[in-house]
């Protein structure tokens, strides 16, 4: 519901905030949200959990956080969600399984290096090591091979255990093998959140 006011729009709102870009702007965020009677604030793009959620000040705020960190104290009732997949299903439909395992990943930290090395030891697997994000294979080829694999290791991203790969594997009908820790060796309990 919306109503006009001299300050702008009031009533209830859903606000999406790229938290990583507004780490130092919590005062501004609070001021902008204050014109609303109730707010659902969705914080995205903050894999390092640097936005100070504890400093949010609104009497009727519901918080949703993408890629949370288990060690951060979020307000009671906060909802969590992962990074998603970029709608892999729009590019390729799942196909018959031909490979035991598939991984195509950039080598950005030791957990990924280990996943790539251990995957290479599995027979009937496709393993592709890349130097950068989305530089290994064309997206449609990557998703096709993923859909042909039974298992897809999903080693941690740079800041959080979550990755596009985990969700892409689900959409392609493969079984993702999620990483339980971040590259810093922390973050137990992420998937429980």
């Amino acid at each position: 519901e919306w109503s006009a006011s001299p300050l702008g729009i009031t009533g209830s709102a859903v606000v999406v905030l790229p938290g990583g870009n507004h780490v130092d702007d919590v005062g501004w965020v609070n001021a902008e949200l204050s014109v609303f009677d109730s707010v659902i604030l969705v914080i995205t793009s903050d894999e390092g959990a640097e936005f100070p959620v504890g400093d949010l000040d609104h009497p009727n705020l519901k918080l949703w956080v993408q890629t949370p960190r288990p060690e951060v104290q979020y307000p009671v009732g906060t909802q969590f969600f992962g990074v998603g997949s970029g709608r892999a299903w729009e590019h390729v439909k799942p196909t018959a399984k031909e490979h035991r395992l598939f991984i195509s990943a950039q080598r950005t930290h030791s957990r990924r290096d280990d996943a790539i090395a251990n995957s290479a030891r599995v027979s009937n697997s496709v393993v592709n090591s890349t130097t950068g994000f989305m530089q290994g294979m064309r997206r449609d080829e990557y998703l096709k091979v993923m859909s042909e694999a039974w298992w897809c290791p999903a080693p941690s991203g740079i800041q959080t255990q979550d990755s596009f790969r985990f969700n892409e594997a689900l959409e392609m009908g493969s079984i993702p093998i999620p990483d339980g820790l971040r590259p810093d060796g922390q973050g137990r309990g992420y998937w429980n959140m």
Side-chain angles (χ1 to χ4, degrees):
E1 78 189 51
W2 303 97
S3 63
S5 79
L7 299 175
I9 299 172
T10 63
S12 300
V14 174
V15 177
V16 179
L17 178 74
N21 295 336
H22 293 284
V23 172
D24 298 322
D25 300 331
V26 72
W28 170 78
V29 171
N30 285 331
E32 292 293 313
L33 297 181
S34 70
V35 301
F36 300 109
D37 298 325
S38 63
V39 178
I40 296 174
L41 178 61
V42 182
I43 299 179
T44 66
S45 310
D46 186 23
E47 290 183 344
E50 296 176 10
F51 183 83
V53 294
D55 294 339
L56 289 168
D57 184 22
H58 192 283
N60 196 9
L61 176 73
K62 293 182 181 172
L63 185 62
W64 286 69
V65 175
Q66 181 183 44
T67 59
R69 287 193 170 226
E71 66 272 19
V72 172
Q73 294 297 314
Y74 294 97
V76 173
T78 300
Q79 300 291 312
F80 306 111
F81 63 101
V83 73
S85 72
R87 299 182 345 203
W89 54 269
E90 287 187 341
H91 302 280
V92 173
K93 302 298 181 216
T95 59
K97 301 300 179 199
E98 296 179 19
H99 312 291
R100 191 165 177 202
L101 183 143
F102 169 65
I103 184 171
S104 178
Q106 58 181 327
R107 297 187 96 118
T108 53
H109 54 76
S110 62
R111 297 188 71 77
R112 285 188 175 207
D113 292 342
D114 290 347
I116 291 166
N118 288 320
S119 296
R121 297 185 349 214
V122 176
S123 64
N124 192 26
S125 295
V126 178
V127 178
N128 185 38
S129 172
T130 72
T131 57
F133 183 65
M134 296 191 73
Q135 293 181 12
M137 305 168 87
R138 283 190 348 257
R139 182 150 171 78
D140 60 338
E141 178 187 1
Y142 164 85
L143 292 171
K144 179 181 181 302
V145 175
M146 179 176 278
S147 76
E148 296 169 346
W150 283 105
W151 299 90
C152 293
S156 175
I158 296 171
Q159 292 282 338
T160 177
Q161 294 90 315
D162 208 343
S163 66
F164 292 128
R165 182 178 298 102
F166 176 84
N167 295 283
E168 289 166 340
L170 290 173
E171 286 192 36
M172 291 296 98
S174 299
I175 302 168
I177 305 171
D179 199 337
L181 300 174
R182 298 186 305 252
D184 64 6
Q186 302 297 309
R188 281 192 202 286
Y190 174 83
W191 295 108
N192 294 337
M193 296 175 77

